[in-house]
Amino acid sequence: GIQVEQSPPDLILQEGANSTLRCNFSDSVNNLQWFHQNPWGQLINLFYIPSGTKQNGRLSATTVATERYSLLYISSSQTTDSGVYFCAVVDYTGANSKLTFGKGITLSVRP
Amino acid sequence: KAGVTQTPRYLIKTRGQQVTLSCSPISGHRSVSWYQQTPGQGLQFLFEYFSETQRNKGNFPGRFSGRQFSNSRSEMNVSTLELGDSALYLCASSLAWGRDEQFFGPGTRLTVL
């Protein structure tokens, strides 16, 4: 099946710094989503971005489908950005909705 | 529009018991998927239901089962609980197809003693 790798596994930032989180995937995809998992465990949707570039406030994301990677940019980080960020994909092969997740990136933003 | 809801939010069971978890998708969504999250294995796909039919299944033992009702609500059942079944169980809903954006519920945290 499709493989998803996220890097770096851990990231520590000072408040106000910028960061780039990377997601590599091993095959063509129908769907790519970025999530932030809150302290209570819920996955919060950040971006639905199988290709192209999107922006939402201080966050933006780019997926280059032909090169099989996606990047999540966080600018002017805040302590509330801390948590685990997941990239997840649905492969192109079928009509099902199975998401394959990366292992996540743990971001700590220090005041 | 209301989001995905899951009940109960927390559950404590003992080994050998069985448990049923419930998920109500976003109104109009017909696909419901279930995932298990553990510190060691991360987020793993359990199964997906669409129009009351199981469309895909992950690599879990037969003790894990599910179903979907005509109103798209879904339940998953785990029989003969083991300590290793302690996990956060997450449900996701989407309109229909794999390319549709998926939305997750708050999860059910199951502890098996």
Side-chain angles (χ1 to χ4, degrees):
Chain A
I2 195 166
Q3 306 294 315
V4 179
E5 292 186 3
Q6 293 186 246
S7 60
D10 301 283
L11 196 52
I12 300 174
L13 299 175
Q14 206 65 30
E15 197 168 26
N18 303 329
S19 61
T20 301
L21 287 61
R22 187 176 181 100
C23 171
N24 292 335
F25 44 96
S26 61
D27 208 341
S28 300
V29 298
N30 261 329
N31 177 357
L32 187 146
Q33 293 185 238
W34 282 96
F35 299 94
H36 179 209
Q37 188 163 40
N38 70 20
W40 298 272
Q42 183 162 8
L43 291 170
I44 307 299
N45 288 42
L46 296 178
F47 291 102
Y48 165 75
I49 187 163
S51 63
T53 297
K54 291 187 178 180
Q55 179 152 11
N56 184 5
R58 296 180 297 103
L59 273 59
S60 64
T62 294
T63 298
V64 183
T66 52
E67 297 188 22
R68 299 180 184 167
Y69 73 88
S70 182
L71 301 174
L72 177 68
Y73 304 97
I74 304 175
S75 64
S76 305
S77 58
Q78 301 176 357
T79 55
T80 51
D81 294 331
S82 296
V84 184
Y85 290 79
F86 288 100
C87 165
V89 303
V90 175
D91 69 34
Y92 74 100
T93 55
N96 69 75
S97 301
K98 173 188 171 183
L99 280 169
T100 300
F101 285 81
K103 294 186 186 298
I105 296 170
T106 301
L107 173 65
S108 300
V109 181
R110 297 182 172 169
Chain B
K1 196 181 246 188
V4 180
T5 58
Q6 291 186 245
T7 57
R9 293 292 311 280
Y10 302 92
L11 210 46
I12 299 175
K13 293 285 188 179
T14 56
R15 278 181 300 173
Q17 287 187 308
Q18 75 163 17
V19 66
T20 299
L21 312 182
S22 180
C23 171
S24 292
I26 292 170
S27 177
H29 284 195
R30 295 167 64 193
S31 172
V32 174
S33 300
W34 289 89
Y35 295 82
Q36 181 197 65
Q37 186 178 27
T38 59
Q41 300 299 316
L43 279 148
Q44 293 187 288
F45 172 78
L46 279 157
F47 27 65
E48 179 202 356
Y49 287 87
F50 176 77
S51 290
E52 302 179 65
T53 301
Q54 188 178 85
R55 187 157 68 175
N56 198 1
K57 189 177 191 305
N59 191 23
F60 278 81
R63 300 185 298 106
F64 291 81
S65 63
R67 59 178 176 168
Q68 187 180 34
F69 301 95
S70 58
N71 61 358
S72 294
R73 188 178 70 86
S74 176
E75 289 181 347
M76 66 163 282
N77 184 77
V78 188
S79 62
T80 319
L81 284 166
E82 300 177 1
L83 295 178
D85 297 333
S86 295
L88 179 66
Y89 290 88
L90 292 162
C91 160
S93 84
S94 65
L95 279 169
W97 304 111
R99 67 178 67 89
D100 295 328
E101 187 173 6
Q102 297 189 41
F103 298 86
F104 281 80
T108 295
R109 194 167 295 277
L110 171 65
T111 301
V112 183
L113 302 175

